[in-house]
Amino acid sequence: MPDFKAGPRSKVKRLHQRAHYDQETVYRLLDAGVTCHIAYVIDGQPYCTPTAYWRHGNRVYWHGSSASRMLREQAEGLPVCLTATHFDGLVVARSGFHCSMNYRSVMLFGEAHMLEDAAEKQTAVEAYITRLMPGRAEEMRAITAQEIKATKVIFMEIEEASAKVRNGPPADDEEDYALPIWAGVIPFTTVIGEAEACPRVAAGTPTSASLAPYAPGRALDEVLSDLSAAS
């Protein structure tokens, strides 16, 4: 896959050896997550909004209520910066200066645009559902025209992107390795738990087949990566 060009917005300057600009890495980190933060400016005031997202090709989508001020402002080609981060571990060093975290992060730049066509919005929303729960759209009742009208779907073409990754043990000062202090990594993992049925589910209703990938004990990022690869 071609690399993204490291432009003035996306070039990693601090610890540049951790930077990645290839599409494979950027897409892989996006596909392993489901929530992001979108930064933008309205009337000179900066905002940063957490939201769920999904990727299709070189586009990233997010959605919300038609009454959302954020989405209304983003609908007209507003420049945005989208970031997604995975925290993988606490890096415990022999000095406070070298304590850190293992992480995988990605930062995207582009312009936000709104999907206007109702059919395109419905296709995008169904793609989002399918991305998380393959087959769920066929199990549920159909989305109504009113629900589509009440929903805004925003997308951005990725113009610039950079990923930054830290992994491995602490990097202490050479003279500190001899100190009798424990150091290492405490891993972090978001793990799927047991499904909790809605109290109003009829007795005897089986668990949906579309939720089979979310087996208790699996790591969430692995499930999301597998689902994206299969779609």
Side-chain angles (χ1 to χ4, degrees):
M1 294 182 181
D3 292 348
F4 288 102
K5 293 183 179 179
R9 297 177 295 179
S10 58
K11 186 174 182 179
V12 175
K13 299 179 177 64
R14 172 68 178 153
L15 299 173
H16 60 85
Q17 69 273 17
R18 298 180 183 173
H20 303 264
Y21 302 98
D22 59 290
Q23 279 192 8
E24 181 180 2
T25 299
V26 169
Y27 288 173
R28 183 174 71 249
L29 294 187
L30 283 172
D31 293 346
V34 70
T35 57
C36 68
H37 288 78
I38 300 173
Y40 50 97
V41 176
I42 299 176
D43 297 331
Q45 171 63 50
Y47 296 87
C48 185
T49 304
T51 190
Y53 70 91
W54 65 103
R55 181 186 68 84
H56 182 71
N58 200 50
R59 280 187 179 183
V60 178
Y61 295 81
W62 57 99
H63 77 297
S65 168
S66 291
S68 167
R69 180 191 181 208
M70 172 192 79
L71 298 185
R72 287 201 307 271
E73 295 289 341
Q74 292 176 354
E76 303 300 329
L78 186 71
V80 295
C81 174
L82 183 153
T83 63
T85 305
H86 307 274
F87 287 112
D88 296 324
L90 179 64
V91 179
V92 184
R94 294 163 180 83
S95 69
F97 183 79
H98 290 297
C99 287
S100 184
M101 287 191 178
N102 284 341
Y103 61 86
R104 295 162 289 152
S105 64
V106 62
M107 181 176 288
L108 315 178
F109 294 89
E111 291 185 353
H113 298 278
M114 183 170 64
L115 286 181
E116 301 282 0
D117 182 76
E120 286 187 322
K121 282 203 292 181
Q122 180 161 343
T123 298
V125 171
E126 289 176 350
Y128 173 47
I129 295 169
T130 299
R131 188 254 171 166
L132 294 177
M133 298 172 287
R136 183 65 174 173
E138 290 75 25
E139 297 171 348
M140 299 186 298
R141 69 157 173 81
I143 301 172
T144 67
Q146 184 58 38
E147 288 170 337
I148 290 297
K149 183 178 180 181
T151 303
K152 272 189 169 62
V153 177
I154 305 294
F155 72 90
M156 65 174 285
E157 295 282 352
I158 305 174
E159 298 173 3
E160 291 184 34
S162 60
K164 194 173 181 183
V165 178
R166 194 223 187 268
N167 52 37
D172 279 301
D173 294 334
E174 187 60 37
E175 60 271 22
D176 289 344
Y177 285 106
L179 295 173
I181 302 171
W182 188 92
V185 175
I186 300 173
F188 296 165
T189 307
T190 300
V191 177
I192 295 165
E194 293 285 347
E196 300 176 1
C198 170
R200 298 182 67 172
V201 169
T205 303
T207 303
S208 170
S210 62
L211 305 180
Y214 295 91
R218 291 195 69 191
L220 177 61
D221 60 349
E222 292 179 2
V223 172
L224 295 174
S225 296
D226 289 348
L227 292 174
S228 292
S231 63

